[in-house]
Amino acid sequence: MKWNAATAVLGLVAPTDALLRFGCARLTVQRLDPLVTPGQNPSPHLHQIIGGDSFNVSMDHPNHDLPSLSTCTSCQFTEDFSNYWTAVLYFRARNGTFKRVPQIAQAGMEGTQGGMVVYYMSDALFDTAQRSSVTAFKPGFRMLIGDASYKSRDQSRDFRQLTYTCMENQGSRSPESIGFPKTPCKLAIMANHRFPTCWDGVNLDSPSHREHVAYPETGTFESGGTCPSTHPVKIPQILLETLWDTSAFNKKEDWPADGSQPFVWSNGDSTGFSSHADYVFGWKGDSLQKAMDGHTYVSAPMLKTQSIAQQNKCVAKDMVRENFDGWLKELPGGNAIF
Ligand SMILES: *[C@@H]1O[C@H](CO)[C@@H](O)[C@H](O)[C@H]1NC(C)=O
Ligand SMILES: *[C@@H]1O[C@H](CO)[C@@H](O)[C@H](O)[C@H]1NC(C)=O
């Protein structure tokens, strides 16, 4: 779990100036969670996963080296063999059956099958200078944001900026809500997962997969807030955007008669407050650090890329073998609605 502090210095010397934004197709949809329930097949709820195809039931460090075990990645940047995953959104019909909500690509990434858009930032998204120095993650680093058991607004205050955007069209970016949108969203519900940006500089993981990272002590990441002394190392902010195509489920007569909204996460959450996402770092060599040091905004000429058709071809083996499509009598795993 320890990482050699001497190597940290290397990441801190160069002036850093980069924001990466890239698409990743779905790698797989499976009831697996190598971070929270390693070795358990199936895991308690269904996930949608992107990144390198070494994704597996267990991914222990240092045995599981993502860049060397992967043969492809579903991401645009071919040196990124990391895995990223979230729960899966379902629509609950009036008759109590469930249907998986499809995912759609963002503008400019048409043709991408499922998946997410990933950001790595030094500073706030709209700060084109991206001047702050950040230290890229180390092999074996992983983290979890959000809590799959949370069901109230109060609990969700433990985390910052796990939000939803009710998208009218591809340009919609505000407002963001903490719970599920309460009215139909013409194009999609976008789930936004922003990870913490301060690291303790020592541990690649921690018991809850959250204690080794923290939010800025003062202000926010967006306001350039400083990291707490317990977690002094500024790491890139990862943001995941997932577009759930709700357009087939927007008829008022299909929505619950009591005026509530009909979408649930695959863990059974009908509130949206249990939104969570997992990250296992897997960039090849120092490619991520070089990119963050690269004086670019959105593009990254120093990184190798592949086409959307190639991204779509990278698929992980189905290790669970269960059906999660069509109208289901219960959620995969039989999770109760809360
Ligand atoms: C997953 O792990 C099993 C057991 O270690 C191994 O046999 C299998 O090849 C792995 N699959 C992938 C895609 O790496
Ligand atoms: C349940 O409702 C959905 C959506 O209206 C419908 O497509 C499906 O056939 C219904 N299933 C049953 C068993 O009535």
Side-chain angles (χ1 to χ4, degrees), residues 30-33 37 39-45 57 319-320 322 333:
Q30 292 194 52
R31 198 143 63 82
L32 291 179
D33 192 336
T37 54
Q40 195 177 317
N41 180 356
S43 67
H45 60 265
V57 181
M319 292 168 270
V320 179
E322 72 175 343

Side-chain angles (χ1 to χ4, degrees), residues 194-228:
R194 297 175 184 86
F195 287 79
T197 51
C198 302
W199 176 43
D200 69 12
V202 178
N203 294 293
L204 300 170
D205 195 4
S206 50
S208 75
H209 315 291
R210 287 186 289 244
E211 297 98 329
H212 60 312
V213 290
Y215 295 102
E217 185 174 42
T218 55
T220 61
F221 170 74
E222 285 71 22
S223 71
T226 51
C227 286

Side-chain angles (χ1 to χ4, degrees), residues 53-58 64 69 316-317 319:
D53 71 340
S54 78
F55 178 80
N56 211 328
V57 181
S58 294
H64 192 105
L69 292 175
K317 205 175 104 193
M319 292 168 270

Side-chain angles (χ1 to χ4, degrees), residues 19 31 45 51 72 83 90 93 118 130 142 150 157 180 194 202 204 227 265-267 272 276 282 311 313 326 331:
L19 178 147
R31 198 143 63 82
H45 60 265
C72 65
N83 288 123
Y90 275 86
V118 180
Q130 296 287 310
R142 61 244 356 243
Y150 278 10
R157 283 181 219 281
F180 282 133
R194 297 175 184 86
V202 178
L204 300 170
C227 286
W265 281 123
S266 47
N267 60 346
H276 60 281
Q311 291 177 50
K313 273 193 215 142
L331 290 171

Side-chain angles (χ1 to χ4, degrees), residues 95-124:
N95 62 21
T97 62
F98 300 91
K99 187 148 195 214
R100 181 162 72 108
V101 178
Q103 289 168 246
I104 47 163
Q106 293 203 21
M109 297 177 185
E110 291 83 0
T112 308
Q113 288 167 21
M116 303 187 241
V117 171
V118 180
Y119 296 74
Y120 284 80
M121 298 176 253
S122 305
D123 291 298

Side-chain angles (χ1 to χ4, degrees), residues 87 136 219 300 327:
W327 291 98

